[in-house]
Amino acid sequence: ADFDSKKKRKVAEIEQALSSDPIDVAALRRMAISEGGLLTDEIRCKVWPKLLSVNTDDLPPLPGKELRENNKDYQQVLLDVRRSLRRFPPGMPDDQREGLQEELIDIILHVLQRNPQLHYYQGYHDIVVTFLLVVGDRLATALVEKLSTHHLRDFMDPTMDNTKHILNYLMPIIDQVNPEVHDFMQSAEVGTIFALSWLITWFGHVLSDFRHVVRLYDFFLACHPLMPIYFAAVIVLYREQEVLDCECDMASVHHLLSQIPQDLPYETLISRAGDLFVQFPPSELAREAAQQQAERTAASTFKDFELASVQQRPDTVLRQRFRERPRGEERTKSVLTKPRTNRFVKLAVMGLTVALGAAALAVVKSALEWAPKFELQIFP
């Protein structure tokens, strides 16, 4: 009964935000991040376009079959889509699935044709099929095009340089919370390639339950483009004991981490990822993540949560705790030269998560700063 009343209250809040004039995008972001996300695909059809500033009254016409003629990506897209059987609901009739696969091919080719600066990558279809299944082909085409020129842009460069750069944020995040796990992974020389498919498909390729996939999409659509790498970090941190119990060699650790558990506590991990983003925004980690490339990434064109995080009570409490520590352990100004504070930071992160869910608060504070950037199309 309590769950039902919470759900009804949330649906009412979402409807109120949608009917506001102007639409209350800050509230919609908060709803997408907070527990349960956007609840139903019917609601996602209304809210996802608002999160991406897509005008549903002016959708592009459906692409025609002529797209496939002499298209350099057609054969690769066709191969990938044919291999995507498990991304469709089990028990779906073959003819219905085959029809959706044809639509999937057309959406991908349409976006690539309209945006020649974008380059197809294997795994892109895993993201597109999620939108197709939730909102249908016409709206999916518009949403995927906006997403591809914003959040996914770095994955669609001619080289993987920017994708590698984003992966480079993973270890610094882990190091902030758990230096022991960080050092173990460094000793094993496992690298970050185990998280590549997580990142470039927004976990769509590796999670078998579609409900978990769309819940994460709610979260990522409401957040900064680097949030998926923070979520990847909290998965590794959640598996701390498994990692430390593993043989300290590349093959063993890579095998362990690349097999993602299907029963993760998603709501807890979403909250932790948001809290870590507020505590350790990308700007603080950029030097460790090869800062010379940072100016070329889509993430760098978003304003960090820094201003918002300073205003949040959880972050203020954390700073106060740091100030109250003995002088001998005083932190330097640069987070990159901090003393190792594994246990302390972990407790602080847990405290933030339980207390107020800093991510939801920070997103609301910063939503108004983000929204004009989508409208002004600041990405080249």
Side-chain angles (χ1 to χ4, degrees), residues 75 86 93-94 99 114 191 196 254 275 295 310 324 343 370:
Q75 287 303 323
R86 68 179 195 82
D94 287 349
R114 281 171 51 92
L196 176 63
H254 177 85
D275 287 338
E295 293 173 9
V310 169
E324 289 169 359
R343 197 163 155 211
W370 293 3

Side-chain angles (χ1 to χ4, degrees), residues 187-231:
S187 297
E189 299 182 343
V190 68
T192 56
I193 203 72
F194 65 86
L196 176 63
S197 65
W198 306 357
L199 180 67
I200 65 175
T201 69
W202 277 12
F203 296 83
H205 185 72
V206 292
L207 298 181
S208 55
D209 191 325
F210 192 70
R211 291 171 306 167
H212 298 153
V213 175
V214 293
R215 172 66 188 101
L216 286 181
Y217 278 42
D218 293 342
F219 179 46
F220 296 152
L221 285 170
C223 290
H224 187 287
L226 279 182
M227 192 57 83
I229 203 69
Y230 281 78
F231 191 78

Side-chain angles (χ1 to χ4, degrees), residues 170-171 174 178 181-182 185 194-195 198 230-243 257 269:
L170 182 68
M171 295 305 289
I174 292 169
N178 195 325
V181 169
H182 171 272
M185 291 173 68
F194 65 86
W198 306 357
Y230 281 78
F231 191 78
V234 298
I235 290 177
V236 175
L237 291 163
Y238 173 73
R239 303 182 72 192
E240 169 190 2
Q241 204 53 55
E242 287 178 86
V243 173
L257 290 174
L269 297 184

Side-chain angles (χ1 to χ4, degrees), residues 22-252:
I23 287 167
D24 190 347
V25 179
L28 295 178
R29 290 186 189 282
R30 191 179 73 245
M31 296 295 122
I33 289 171
S34 62
E35 186 177 358
L38 295 174
L39 303 171
T40 70
D41 286 353
E42 184 183 0
I43 292 173
R44 290 183 178 101
C45 287
K46 298 175 184 176
V47 175
W48 281 5
K50 306 308 177 192
L51 296 180
L52 287 172
S53 287
V54 167
N55 181 2
T56 53
D57 296 326
D58 187 28
L59 295 176
L62 288 172
K65 298 299 178 190
E66 70 278 357
L67 267 178
R68 304 184 182 202
E69 296 169 14
N70 303 316
N71 189 299
K72 66 182 176 61
D73 295 302
Y74 173 59
Q75 287 303 323
Q76 186 60 57
V77 172
L78 180 64
L79 285 172
D80 290 345
V81 168
R82 279 180 177 165
R83 287 195 292 256
S84 66
L85 296 184
R86 68 179 195 82
R87 291 304 317 280
F88 293 89
M92 177 180 277
D94 287 349
D95 56 345
Q96 186 183 354
R97 174 184 48 75
E98 287 164 7
L100 286 168
Q101 286 178 306
E102 292 299 309
E103 292 174 6
L104 180 56
I105 292 168
D106 288 339
I107 293 170
I108 293 170
L109 296 179
H110 178 74
V111 171
L112 293 172
Q113 184 193 54
R114 281 171 51 92
N115 300 274
Q117 78 278 17
L118 300 178
H119 297 262
Y120 178 75
Y121 65 89
Q122 286 183 279
Y124 181 67
H125 69 288
D126 282 300
I127 288 183
V128 181
V129 72
T130 304
F131 283 89
L132 174 61
L133 290 172
V134 172
V135 304
D137 56 349
R138 195 158 174 222
L139 182 51
T141 303
L143 296 182
V144 167
E145 181 167 11
K146 179 62 76 79
L147 194 73
S148 300
T149 54
H150 290 72
H151 291 66
L152 305 180
R153 192 195 71 189
D154 296 322
F155 309 145
M156 305 190 76
D157 278 350
T159 71
M160 283 192 63
D161 288 350
N162 282 340
T163 302
K164 289 176 189 170
H165 173 68
I166 295 170
L167 280 170
N168 285 344
Y169 279 83
L170 182 68
M171 295 305 289
I173 298 167
I174 292 169
D175 191 31
Q176 294 300 328
V177 182
N178 195 325
E180 187 181 3
V181 169
H182 171 272
D183 293 352
F184 181 90
M185 291 173 68
Q186 293 287 69
S187 297
E189 299 182 343
V190 68
T192 56
I193 203 72
F194 65 86
L196 176 63
S197 65
W198 306 357
L199 180 67
I200 65 175
T201 69
W202 277 12
F203 296 83
H205 185 72
V206 292
L207 298 181
S208 55
D209 191 325
F210 192 70
R211 291 171 306 167
H212 298 153
V213 175
V214 293
R215 172 66 188 101
L216 286 181
Y217 278 42
D218 293 342
F219 179 46
F220 296 152
L221 285 170
C223 290
H224 187 287
L226 279 182
M227 192 57 83
I229 203 69
Y230 281 78
F231 191 78
V234 298
I235 290 177
V236 175
L237 291 163
Y238 173 73
R239 303 182 72 192
E240 169 190 2
Q241 204 53 55
E242 287 178 86
V243 173
L244 296 176
D245 288 346
C246 192
E247 290 291 325
C248 189
D249 63 73
M250 184 179 70
S252 301

Side-chain angles (χ1 to χ4, degrees), residues 241-302:
Q241 204 53 55
E242 287 178 86
V243 173
L244 296 176
D245 288 346
C246 192
E247 290 291 325
C248 189
D249 63 73
M250 184 179 70
S252 301
V253 180
H254 177 85
H255 178 73
L256 171 74
L257 290 174
S258 58
Q259 305 295 311
I260 196 167
Q262 297 296 314
D263 58 347
L264 293 167
Y266 291 94
E267 296 300 335
T268 301
L269 297 184
I270 284 169
S271 182
R272 285 183 186 170
D275 287 338
L276 284 182
F277 189 101
V278 172
Q279 283 181 273
F280 311 114
S283 59
E284 289 191 5
L285 305 173
R287 198 182 313 159
E288 269 188 80
Q291 194 172 12
Q292 66 273 13
Q293 287 193 37
E295 293 173 9
R296 294 165 46 201
T297 62
S300 69
T301 60
F302 266 71

